[in-house]
Amino acid sequence: MMLLKEVYESAKIVNMGATRITVNEFTDQLPALRPEVLLEAARGVIEVMDWHVDKIVTEEDKGAPLATAVSILTGIPMAIARWYSYSLDEVNEVCVDLESEYYQGQLYLNGVVAGDRVIIVDDTLSTGGAIISLVEAVRKSGADVVDVVCAIEKVQNKGKKHVFEKTGIAVKTLVRIALSEDKVSVLD
């Protein structure tokens, strides 16, 4: 994960309301995301993930590029949870509440059906709010969450602990970071 670590070592920190977030190449495409960074992260996910799955699930924001790369490299179909409803009667749409580090609202999941075995892939684990909502949506659809892998973990927000307490799932992460007032420290 050499490139991914380099991206975070040079990341900027900004305030978004009461929250401090990173702005960087991997999650924000600032600067533009180099394919080799995305491939490194996707290969890292593939190395640690459970392969006994039918679908990859992510959210439509920052996790989509990573999950798309994992889907292409593995041949596993992908479903994306969205912030809006399609309002189509024939679509099996599951709606759950979402409260994450920087967004509160609803999350709508399509494309997952009862009996599916799902891996959730996301770019960053912070408070765990997005992952908890994704797990809830997958389970509400009648599918089973087999694995959860996030490329980055912001350790100070205790997302791994929150997800485990709410869902019983241990999230796997590739790179752990900590934010201070003005810098990002890569912990491993």
Side-chain angles (χ1 to χ4, degrees):
M1 295 297 114
M2 186 183 323
L3 292 173
L4 203 51
K5 289 178 181 180
E6 288 174 9
V7 165
Y8 278 87
E9 286 168 347
S10 63
K12 307 289 186 230
I13 297 177
V14 298
N15 290 323
M16 188 169 201
T19 304
R20 298 181 60 66
I21 63 167
T22 64
V23 175
N24 63 77
E25 177 181 349
F26 179 60
T27 58
D28 306 287
Q29 295 76 51
L30 291 170
L33 177 57
R34 294 170 287 160
E36 57 269 28
V37 174
L38 182 56
L39 276 172
E40 180 185 81
R43 288 181 178 133
V45 169
I46 291 166
E47 283 178 25
V48 302
M49 71 181 262
D50 185 325
W51 278 71
H52 298 94
V53 297
D54 306 306
K55 302 248 174 73
I56 297 167
V57 168
T58 194
E59 46 76 33
E60 75 173 322
D61 191 24
K62 299 176 181 190
L66 177 59
T68 300
V70 171
S71 177
I72 290 168
L73 292 171
T74 62
I76 300 169
M78 179 183 66
I80 298 180
R82 307 206 180 270
W83 312 116
Y84 52 88
S85 171
Y86 288 118
S87 302
L88 298 171
D89 292 337
E90 67 274 10
V91 174
N92 178 26
E93 184 172 73
V94 173
C95 177
V96 296
D97 291 330
L98 169 64
E99 186 172 331
S100 72
E101 184 177 28
Y102 58 91
Y103 178 81
Q104 291 182 352
Q106 267 69 51
L107 192 62
Y108 299 88
L109 178 63
N110 300 294
V112 175
V113 296
D116 279 345
R117 293 175 48 83
V118 170
I119 178 173
I120 295 171
V121 174
D122 207 0
D123 65 312
T124 306
L125 177 65
S126 185
T127 62
I131 297 298
I132 291 166
S133 292
L134 286 168
V135 169
E136 181 183 351
V138 168
R139 288 177 173 167
K140 196 172 176 183
S141 73
D144 183 32
V145 178
V146 175
D147 204 1
V148 177
V149 182
C150 297
I152 304 298
E153 176 189 357
K154 290 183 188 174
V155 297
Q156 71 275 7
N157 293 340
K158 298 179 175 56
K160 269 190 178 183
K161 179 181 179 220
H162 296 147
V163 171
F164 188 78
E165 288 173 349
K166 295 275 187 179
T167 69
I169 295 172
V171 178
K172 298 172 187 169
T173 59
L174 307 178
V175 176
R176 297 173 11 171
I177 64 170
L179 278 61
S180 64
E181 269 307 302
D182 60 351
K183 108 179 212 191
V184 178
S185 297
V186 175
L187 305 177
D188 54 20

